[in-house]
Amino acid sequence: MASPVPPTAVISSIYSKGLPILTSPALNPHAPLGKWLLSTSSLVFAMVHIGGVTRLTKSGLSMTDWKPLGSLPPMSDEEWRAEFERYRQYPEWEQRRSMDVEEFKYIYYWEWGHRMMGRFVGAVFGGGWAYFTWMHRPTISQSSSSFAAIPRNIVSAIPPGYQSRLALLFAMGGTQGLVGWWMVKSGLGDDRRGDRSEIRVSPYRLAAHLGMAVGTYSALLWTGLGALSYPVDCYAAAASAGDANSASKASATTATKTIAERSSAQFSLLQQYAKQLTPASLQHARRTRVGVLSTVGLTGLTILSGAFVAGNDAGNAYNTYPLMNGQWMPWNDMIDPDTFPRWRNMFENTATVQWNHRVLGTCTALSAVGAAGYGLLRRPAAPGGGGGTTPQVRRGLAALGTAATAQMSLGIATLLNYVPIHLAAGHQLGSLVVLTCGVYTAHSLRYAGRNV
């Protein structure tokens, strides 16, 4: 039997509201959890930035040991001299023999701050998880939400199925610390000497460390958005006020429409929105979603390729654009005959690594602008004027296209200016802004998924 279709007024109302993010505990008992997850993701965002500046200031090898619970920095002159003497036992000191204790303090504090920030994030997440699991109990408002009929028997702010997600996030955060020390260890020996006898951490381990951080950030962001939209996605949509009175007093035709509205309200707002889309609108939303997900994937690959650029110090070569020293592809420089096996050139050759990052960055920007253009400009006619895209999707697409264009421009400026710290740090932050816009937009397009 076909599902009853709500009247045009109801459809228009659904289209105009879209699929809102519910941040008020009165409307969403899972809102405190969602806001905590998004707050934790913002801390990871900040930690990635601090880590980037730590790398750019060449501070990452200043601490030569690792303690899981951390420790205070040296407090007295004697302790600083002892720490400095320990640093001088490692190969990087041979490149920085002019450094004195005061200069050493500067790089030491960057690395110490980065490590302690990671532990702080872990404490915030672990403490919050324990609080929401064993202590916090949501208060269900007696007044009906205008978006969803909230069940009265909810006993936890953690939605069903989210405990396993939180456990995975906690494991990812703990692993990140181990990966960080694994990365640092690669720069404390003599095996990282390049042609210029410069000590660096392994670019492979740097990419793993950054990739783990970005993956954790993305998972926190997605899970937080899921908690804030859980009533819209999973609870039956709220019936309009006054339905009972109108059903008893209205004509037979009006009563039939009211019953149809009630039947439709057995579905969540997400399901209602998906069901009322015309075939053309649904196809448009699905194509837009494919474009956005492709952009998110390209953004991730571009971030990883940027780690190899940083790990090989490749940004300080070929500082021209769009050509690389007069060539689209400097073939003669992209394959080092002394590098075996040959595939290592993809990750260790300066010309190849930079070319990869240029191409991936350009593809990401074009994909973002293309997805935004298609989603915003090629909308089919639909009730409410949305054309199959919610207000949340339209805002996300505009932000995604704008952020990707700005990020590409910032990357070019960083290259042409020989990677100054302020531009390079901003460029790394820009990549996370693009990723954030992509994840938000992809989440907003979840109604176009096959399983709704």
Side-chain angles (χ1 to χ4, degrees), residues 282-331:
L282 183 59
Q283 183 183 52
H284 172 265
R286 284 177 173 168
R287 288 177 175 175
T288 302
R289 185 170 180 261
V290 169
V292 172
L293 290 174
S294 298
T295 302
V296 171
L298 283 170
T299 303
L301 288 175
T302 305
I303 291 172
L304 289 179
S305 75
F308 284 100
V309 171
N312 290 282
D313 202 20
N316 286 310
Y318 305 99
N319 299 94
T320 58
Y321 189 87
L323 303 181
M324 297 176 67
N325 288 1
Q327 303 175 72
W328 288 107
M329 292 184 69
W331 287 106

Side-chain angles (χ1 to χ4, degrees), residues 97-426:
R97 286 182 173 273
S98 62
M99 178 185 295
D100 58 24
V101 175
E102 291 303 315
E103 292 171 318
F104 173 71
K105 288 181 181 180
Y106 176 79
I107 64 171
Y108 185 94
Y109 274 126
W110 272 112
E111 175 64 10
W112 181 83
H114 180 52
R115 294 189 187 190
M116 295 308 295
M117 181 72 175
R119 294 181 176 94
F120 176 71
V121 174
V124 169
F125 185 89
W129 185 19
Y131 170 74
F132 283 110
T133 299
W134 290 302
M135 298 180 65
H136 178 82
R137 293 295 177 263
T139 301
I140 309 301
S141 174
Q142 296 301 314
S143 59
S144 298
S145 166
S146 58
F147 297 101
I150 307 298
R152 302 300 179 188
N153 60 346
I154 294 177
V155 297
S156 175
I158 301 177
Y162 272 58
Q163 279 287 7
S164 58
R165 298 191 195 186
L166 298 178
L168 176 61
L169 286 167
F170 187 75
M172 291 175 70
T175 303
Q176 176 70 346
L178 297 174
V179 172
W181 175 238
W182 177 62
M183 176 194 70
V184 169
K185 284 186 67 177
S186 70
L188 295 178
D190 292 312
D191 58 327
R192 288 304 304 151
R193 291 188 182 277
D195 294 337
R196 293 168 292 176
S197 297
E198 183 172 352
I199 301 297
R200 305 192 198 102
V201 298
S202 163
Y204 301 97
R205 299 188 188 187
L206 175 62
H209 188 49
L210 179 60
M212 178 69 77
V214 171
T216 303
Y217 170 74
S218 301
L220 281 166
L221 181 60
W222 184 271
T223 308
L225 291 172
L228 291 177
S229 57
Y230 194 85
V232 168
D233 295 355
C234 300
Y235 296 147
S240 58
D243 276 355
N245 293 333
S246 62
S248 61
K249 298 179 181 178
S251 63
T253 302
T254 306
T256 300
K257 289 182 179 180
T258 302
I259 293 172
E261 290 181 26
R262 285 177 171 175
S263 298
S264 179
Q266 300 306 309
F267 297 104
S268 68
L269 187 61
L270 175 71
Q271 292 170 320
Q272 282 195 30
Y273 188 89
K275 286 179 180 294
Q276 309 317 318
L277 289 175
T278 64
S281 295
L282 183 59
Q283 183 183 52
H284 172 265
R286 284 177 173 168
R287 288 177 175 175
T288 302
R289 185 170 180 261
V290 169
V292 172
L293 290 174
S294 298
T295 302
V296 171
L298 283 170
T299 303
L301 288 175
T302 305
I303 291 172
L304 289 179
S305 75
F308 284 100
V309 171
N312 290 282
D313 202 20
N316 286 310
Y318 305 99
N319 299 94
T320 58
Y321 189 87
L323 303 181
M324 297 176 67
N325 288 1
Q327 303 175 72
W328 288 107
M329 292 184 69
W331 287 106
N332 294 335
D333 299 339
M334 294 180 73
I335 302 295
D336 185 348
D338 297 326
T339 300
F340 294 98
R342 297 295 189 197
W343 61 262
R344 287 175 54 196
N345 283 280
M346 289 287 293
F347 306 102
E348 298 178 31
N349 182 284
T350 295
T352 308
V353 165
Q354 192 188 120
W355 188 84
N356 290 342
H357 190 59
R358 288 183 182 220
V359 171
L360 284 170
T362 301
C363 289
T364 300
L366 292 176
S367 177
V369 172
Y374 178 81
L376 294 172
L377 303 178
R378 294 182 60 85
R379 292 179 291 164
T389 55
T390 66
Q392 295 78 22
V393 171
R394 293 194 290 275
R395 287 194 294 268
L397 288 171
L400 179 61
T402 302
T405 303
Q407 170 68 353
M408 182 175 176
S409 301
L410 184 56
I412 295 171
T414 303
L415 176 71
L416 296 180
N417 287 279
Y418 292 83
V419 198
I421 291 177
H422 65 286
L423 287 181

Side-chain angles (χ1 to χ4, degrees), residues 2-38:
S3 300
V5 179
T8 303
V10 175
I11 298 175
S12 298
S13 175
I14 294 173
Y15 273 104
S16 63
K17 292 178 181 177
L19 302 172
I21 297 295
L22 304 179
T23 59
S24 170
L27 301 177
N28 178 5
H30 312 294
L33 178 83
K35 289 189 283 189
W36 162 70
L37 286 169
L38 293 186

Side-chain angles (χ1 to χ4, degrees), residues 39 53 138 340 349 447:
S39 298
V53 176
F340 294 98
N349 182 284
Y447 61 87

